[in-house]
Amino acid sequence: MKRLGKIVALVTLVVFMLSLVLVFSPSEKAFSSAGGTKKIVFWHITTDAVGKQMIQNQVNRFLKAHPDFKVEVVPLQNDSFKTKLKIAMGSNQAPDVFVTWGGGPFFEYVRAGKVKDITAYMNEKNYKSRFVDAAFGPITYNNKIWAVPVEGAGVALVWYNKEIFKKYNLKVPTTYDEFLNIVKVLKSKGITPITLANKTKWPGCFWYWNLVNKLGGASAFEKAAERTGGSFADEPFVKAGQMLQDLVKMGAFPKGFNGLDWDTGQSRMLLYSGKAAMELMGTWQIPIVKAEKKEFYEKNLDFFPFPSIKGGKGDPTSLVGMASSNYYAVTTTCKYPKEAFNMIQYLIDDQAVKERINYGQIPPVKGLKFSDPMLQKVYNIVAKAKSIQLWWDQYLPPQLAETHKDIVQSLFGLTITPKAAAEKMEKAAKEYFKK
């Protein structure tokens, strides 16, 4: 009986020990807190197969140099990412590293103490000097840097059909008056001067944003958006609406443009066919046209920056868009901020830059050379830009951005006056910010 009792006791002890092993098994979280494998959670929005693998390869190089770390890479769709991040930030479940466009919504997280100040990291060994100057605007707040420029540049440029310009002896304009003269000549020849598909509203906004930028300078929008002494009813906003509607009244755009769909290529088809001569669009035009009409891309496509406006306060080199289409930030809840920052560096080191160029991006890094003359030309313009005004619909809070796009579409439809449009936007901003 004693022997049996010992066996029962031994079995009981073994079962108890096994239960402890199961309860306290070294999960990823336990490793992270127990000094074993350290974990970084990383959210991004590159969801195509090639882009996802590219980022994973870059993370793998970080892991090879840091074998004591594990990185949980989480690719998310754009809209679901925005929702998930907002919830995570509010419930203290934020990732360690996350993608951002910078601007207003990002600065809300900064003000809430959710984002780590990485100014010291960026200044270490003068790392900041690696990037083009214009890349820092959307992620600089209170003279501090809050994220790293990583993804390729995306700016609005006027793309044009070289054959049409050559046929009618048209020279690339540097001033808005010269541009208007081109519109008049093309109209007289039966060519639609500017193709536009504005069903989704944002393509038309490019015109309004560039006009405001050239009229009032980058500070006009920023002061209005940040509520720091500016108003969406100020003169540059009203004047931009007037100039936009002048183009509509001149017949610069195709019939029914507010109902045409950019996503299905309805604006580009007019460019390819020679029925339209120009389109104001982002630099993603390059890979899209290359894929859709390679011969047109190689022989017939070119671009020029949005022209300067006489008397305007905007710098001639200023652009609208992003020197870096995506930035990466570290949260204040990250246990390993220095290593998280180092992981981001692997996303934009020399090897990553080569990978991103092959992927079709224009990295926001100084001194790059491209085999494609078009990419080189875009890069040179971005590198020289004194400022790059972030897309308004990325800078503004989502609710306000939607209101703004509705208003601009109404301006194009001539259903609201420029003054009323500016006042409506200012009223919406006041209500949103309660100021």
Side-chain angles (χ1 to χ4, degrees), residues 91-195:
S91 59
N92 291 319
Q93 298 292 319
D96 299 299
V97 176
F98 68 98
V99 66
T100 177
W101 299 278
F106 176 61
F107 294 150
E108 287 184 8
Y109 293 134
V110 170
R111 286 190 287 266
K114 303 291 186 181
V115 184
K116 181 169 179 59
D117 173 9
I118 60 167
T119 309
Y121 296 162
M122 293 298 290
N123 288 333
E124 192 173 317
K125 296 182 181 179
N126 205 22
Y127 183 64
K128 179 184 175 183
S129 66
R130 176 175 178 77
F131 304 97
V132 296
D133 295 339
F136 291 97
I139 42 93
T140 300
Y141 184 79
N142 281 345
N143 296 315
K144 295 178 181 178
I145 302 170
W146 302 89
V148 183
V150 172
E151 307 285 356
V155 295
L157 299 164
V158 183
W159 304 86
Y160 69 95
N161 184 318
K162 289 194 289 186
E163 185 180 335
I164 292 175
F165 268 54
K166 184 178 179 181
K167 182 177 181 180
Y168 298 112
N169 297 314
L170 300 172
K171 293 181 180 179
V172 169
T174 57
T175 69
Y176 194 74
D177 287 339
E178 292 171 354
F179 173 76
L180 287 180
N181 185 60
I182 289 173
V183 170
K184 292 173 184 175
V185 170
L186 290 169
K187 190 68 182 169
S188 71
K189 302 297 181 181
I191 305 290
T192 299
I194 304 161
T195 186

Side-chain angles (χ1 to χ4, degrees), residues 301-321:
L301 185 70
D302 207 345
F303 68 85
F304 55 86
F306 199 91
S308 299
I309 298 173
K310 186 178 180 180
K313 295 179 181 178
D315 188 279
T317 67
S318 66
L319 300 167
V320 172

Side-chain angles (χ1 to χ4, degrees), residues 364-430:
V365 174
K366 291 177 181 175
L368 297 184
K369 299 293 180 185
F370 298 82
S371 58
D372 186 329
M374 189 85 76
L375 287 174
Q376 187 66 54
K377 186 178 174 183
V378 171
Y379 174 78
N380 292 343
I381 286 174
V382 170
K384 291 175 184 175
K386 292 286 174 60
S387 71
I388 300 180
Q389 174 62 68
L390 181 64
W391 314 112
W392 293 18
D393 58 346
Q394 299 288 1
Y395 195 113
L396 294 169
Q399 180 184 329
L400 203 54
E402 284 304 313
T403 298
H404 167 68
K405 288 188 285 187
D406 288 340
I407 291 170
V408 174
Q409 191 178 51
S410 296
L411 275 169
F412 271 102
L414 305 179
T415 59
I416 191 171
T417 68
K419 189 172 186 295
E423 289 172 348
K424 186 175 182 179
M425 182 61 191
E426 175 58 17
K427 182 182 178 183
K430 281 182 176 178

